[in-house]
């Protein structure tokens, strides 16, 4: 098979949660364990950092990988979902896996894959771990797909675990309360392996403490060790500057991952780096400063409060649940603009009422939909939005919606595109 045929095999022959939703979800690690055994258990051949959480796990994974890379280590990075290209999911030192490697993997193991019938995600995890083992990475930073306890990535025995925050997302799989979801995320905590919690939350702190205690795992609540406050944008708005207090020391850190919500992630990232230093890694202060200041450039991260153009200003963000959208709206409301235009698309398997309640009533809305089976029909989104007092038109294609918004906007206006990772992924000039 050529690359396109291989991708079709990955995407279509086996269920893919991102595209079809609930039908692809498996509450079982048995297939991943069998696939890894077939591949020679590659997950045991490199050191890893395992990252879970509702929001911030992607940004935190990229930030940690960037600092390790800047410190001279060979670093694998596994994240999901991808925005533009499947190969974005698997990187070493910022370089995506080659299409040839993807083709080779499927060709070599197709007989076994046909027999086992693993999900898209299970197969992708196997491919990533095999690639990292073959290329002899020093460390791999591995982001959980969903949950933690039963996520395919949870076959790892990491050096360190990070859980960023807990919000109400994927409730049909993970539970309806923050406590229930925390139990699923805490499934990545391994016996005697340190775990960092980025954000202390009243409902989840006892859950994490109890599970860590049961497993004799040292636990660190990062925001009780690192006090991070946003100071503003610098370098023509390309960097966010933060003031950090730790052990009565004050320092300043700049990061090129924009969005006020990075202050929540940064405490966890800095705590992880401190623990990795304690484990003997040669990470200097200059590596931290440089790695964070160039994190998205070093690792190729897209879609995190990313500026697409000036006059009118256009931003996009992949945030899609209550916590993510809440942070985005607070960020937008602090910005200087004449009128706000919001281009939104969402998926059809979530209760979006609470998200819609957070959105500003005085913005001009355009409702669109991503070109995937899980997309919520733009007309249905419009109907639900109108019940919350949000008025606007339907233009299904996100690029046509964006072109129309740019055409009618004043140069001092702000246009925001988001609501779903899959809407952001379809923006042409991302």
């Amino acid at each position: 098979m050529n690359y396109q045929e291989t991708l079709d095999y990955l995407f279509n022959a086996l269920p893919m949660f991102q595209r079809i939703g609930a039908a692809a979800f498996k509450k079982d690690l048995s297939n991943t364990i069998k696939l890894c055994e077939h591949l020679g258990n590659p997950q045991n051949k490199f050191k890893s950092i395992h990252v879970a959480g509702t929001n911030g796990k992607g940004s935190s994974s990229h930030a940690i990988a960037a600092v390790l890379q800047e410190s001279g280590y060979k670093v694998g990075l596994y994240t999901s979902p991808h925005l533009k290209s499947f190969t974005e999911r698997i990187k070493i030192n910022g370089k995506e896996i080659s299409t040839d490697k993807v083709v080779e993997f499927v060709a070599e193991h197709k007989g076994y894959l046909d027999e086992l019938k693993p999900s898209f995600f299970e197969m992708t995890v196997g491919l990533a771990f095999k690639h990292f083992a073959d290329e002899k990475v020093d460390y791999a930073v591995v982001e959980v797909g969903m949950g933690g306890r039963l996520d395919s990535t949870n076959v790892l025995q990491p050096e360190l675990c990070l859980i960023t925050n807990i919000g109400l997302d994927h409730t049909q799989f993970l539970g309806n309360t923050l406590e229930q979801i925390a139990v699923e995320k805490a499934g990545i905590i391994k016996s005697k392996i340190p775990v960092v919690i980025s954000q202390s939350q009243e409902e989840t702190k006892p859950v994490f403490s109890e599970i860590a205690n049961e497993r004799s795992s040292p636990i660190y609540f990062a925001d009780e060790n690192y006090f991070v406050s946003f100071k503003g944008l610098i370098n023509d708005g390309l960097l966010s500057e933060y003031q950090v207090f730790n052990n009565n020391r004050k320092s300043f850190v700049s990061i090129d991952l924009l969005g006020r919500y990075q202050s929540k992630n940064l405490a966890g990232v800095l705590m992880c780096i401190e623990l990795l230093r304690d484990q003997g890694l040669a990470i200097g202060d200059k590596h931290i400063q440089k790695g964070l200041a160039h994190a998205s450039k070093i690792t190729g991260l897209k879609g995190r409060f990313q500026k697409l153009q000036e006059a009118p200003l256009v931003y996009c963000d992949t945030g899609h649940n209550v916590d993510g959208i809440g942070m985005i709206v607070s960020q937008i409301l602090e910005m200087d603009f004449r009128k706000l235009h919001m281009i939104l698309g969402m998926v059809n398997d979530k209760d979006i009422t609470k998200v819609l309640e957070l959105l500003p009533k005085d913005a001009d809305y355009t409702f669109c939909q991503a070109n995937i089976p899980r997309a919520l029909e733009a007309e249905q989104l419009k109907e639900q939005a109108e019940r919350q007092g949000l008025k606007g038109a339907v233009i299904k294609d996100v690029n046509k919606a964006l072109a129309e918004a740019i055409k009618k906007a004043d140069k001092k206006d702000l246009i925001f595109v988001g609501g779903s990772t899959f809407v952001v992924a379809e923006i042409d000039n991302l």
Side-chain angles (χ1 to χ4, degrees):
M1 294 189 292
N2 63 25
Y3 180 60
Q4 190 53 55
E5 289 164 342
T6 302
L7 277 190
D8 290 343
Y9 174 81
L10 288 167
F11 288 152
N12 301 324
L14 305 161
M16 177 182 179
F17 175 77
Q18 271 79 15
R19 286 180 56 78
I20 65 173
F25 184 64
K26 285 188 184 174
K27 281 203 157 194
D28 192 343
L29 283 179
S30 59
N31 268 3
T32 311
I33 291 165
K34 285 175 188 166
L35 179 56
C36 284
E37 282 174 354
H38 168 77
L39 297 172
N41 286 317
Q43 76 279 11
N44 300 333
K45 295 175 181 172
F46 53 85
K47 292 182 175 179
S48 60
I49 297 148
H50 203 190
V51 184
T54 304
N55 296 296
K57 61 182 185 287
S59 297
S60 299
S61 297
H62 282 79
I64 292 167
V67 170
L68 288 174
Q69 208 175 307
E70 201 56 47
S71 305
Y73 293 99
K74 187 174 186 179
V75 185
L77 178 61
Y78 177 77
T79 56
S80 63
H82 63 270
L83 277 178
K84 291 290 188 187
S85 161
F86 170 79
T87 53
E88 289 169 32
R89 292 169 179 257
I90 304 166
K91 296 176 184 171
I92 296 177
N93 282 8
K95 189 168 184 257
E96 295 175 17
I97 188 171
S98 71
T99 56
D100 287 351
K101 286 269 165 66
V102 178
V103 171
E104 278 168 27
F105 175 83
V106 172
E108 189 178 339
H109 303 288
K110 188 170 180 298
Y112 185 77
L113 297 172
D114 287 343
E115 182 188 320
L116 184 66
K117 292 189 170 45
S119 71
F120 167 87
F121 193 79
E122 288 163 342
M123 209 161 23
T124 308
V125 166
L127 167 61
F129 292 173
K130 180 84 166 59
H131 183 56
F132 296 155
D134 288 350
E135 296 297 318
K136 297 184 169 51
V137 299
D138 298 314
Y139 273 82
V141 183
V142 176
E143 179 193 359
V144 165
M146 181 171 56
R149 183 173 66 94
L150 297 169
D151 188 76
S152 296
T153 61
N154 204 28
V155 295
L156 287 171
Q157 285 295 323
E159 310 300 304
L160 178 65
C161 299
L162 168 66
I163 302 172
T164 55
N165 90 328
I166 304 299
L168 293 171
D169 199 11
H170 301 304
T171 51
Q172 71 270 49
F173 308 114
L174 305 178
N176 292 308
T177 67
L178 294 180
E179 291 89 342
Q180 286 173 334
I181 294 171
V183 169
E184 291 299 316
K185 307 281 183 190
I188 71 164
I189 298 174
K190 303 293 188 301
S191 174
K192 298 183 179 163
I193 301 299
V195 58
V196 172
I197 313 296
S198 293
Q199 197 180 337
S200 304
Q201 294 166 272
E202 190 183 339
E203 300 91 340
T204 62
K205 192 174 179 186
V207 175
F208 292 137
S209 296
E210 185 181 340
I211 291 172
N213 187 44
E214 281 170 9
R215 295 175 191 172
S216 306
S217 306
I219 186 166
Y220 302 85
F221 291 93
D223 53 2
E224 294 174 5
N225 292 279
Y226 286 85
F227 302 93
V228 178
S229 57
F230 178 69
K231 300 309 290 178
L233 295 174
I234 58 172
N235 193 17
D236 293 331
L238 296 175
L239 290 173
S240 292
E241 186 176 47
Y242 294 91
Q243 183 175 281
V244 180
F245 279 100
N246 169 244
N247 291 332
N248 296 320
R249 281 180 57 226
K250 181 170 83 170
S251 59
F252 290 89
V253 171
S254 299
I255 187 164
D256 70 349
L257 306 177
L258 302 183
R260 175 64 73 92
Y261 47 80
Q262 296 301 346
S263 59
K264 308 274 188 196
N265 300 332
L266 197 51
V269 168
L270 293 172
M271 189 81 237
C272 284
I273 291 164
E274 181 185 325
L275 293 174
L276 290 169
R277 279 170 145 179
D278 290 346
Q279 290 179 9
L281 272 73
I283 303 170
D285 289 350
K286 65 176 188 217
H287 302 134
I288 298 169
Q289 292 285 354
K290 199 169 172 194
L292 294 177
H294 302 284
S296 62
K297 191 176 171 192
I298 289 170
T299 59
L301 179 63
K302 295 174 181 171
R304 301 305 198 279
F305 215 75
Q306 185 174 344
K307 186 196 283 189
L308 301 179
Q309 74 161 62
E310 301 260 8
L313 267 175
V314 180
Y315 277 87
C316 68
D317 195 287
T318 54
H320 53 272
N321 52 38
V322 170
D323 290 351
I325 295 287
M327 290 296 253
I328 289 163
V329 169
S330 64
Q331 171 96 22
I332 285 171
L333 295 180
E334 285 177 9
M335 297 171 75
D336 189 23
F337 55 85
R338 189 192 70 95
K339 184 170 177 58
L340 175 62
H341 305 261
M342 302 275 282
I343 299 169
L344 292 179
M346 296 185 180
V347 291
N348 62 16
D349 52 8
K350 293 184 185 179
D351 180 4
I352 60 170
T353 311
K354 287 192 172 70
V355 168
L356 294 172
E357 283 171 0
L358 296 173
L359 298 171
K361 305 274 190 286
D362 56 353
D364 181 25
Y365 286 87
T366 305
F367 304 104
C368 64
Q369 68 186 75
N371 189 24
I372 57 165
R374 267 181 82 203
L376 178 63
E377 287 282 340
E379 289 287 357
Q380 287 179 25
L381 177 56
K382 180 177 185 265
E383 282 170 29
Q384 291 192 50
E386 281 177 345
R387 284 183 217 133
Q388 304 300 328
L390 311 175
K391 300 282 193 293
V394 167
I395 301 177
K396 288 193 176 185
D397 181 89
V398 65
N399 291 296
K400 288 177 183 168
L402 182 53
E404 189 62 30
I406 290 168
K407 196 161 73 177
K408 71 180 182 187
D410 183 88
K411 292 227 179 322
K412 293 178 181 166
D413 287 0
L414 171 63
I415 300 168
F416 175 80
V417 188
S420 159
T421 301
F422 310 104
V423 164
V424 173
E426 289 178 13
I427 299 171
D428 283 341
N429 66 333
L430 186 68

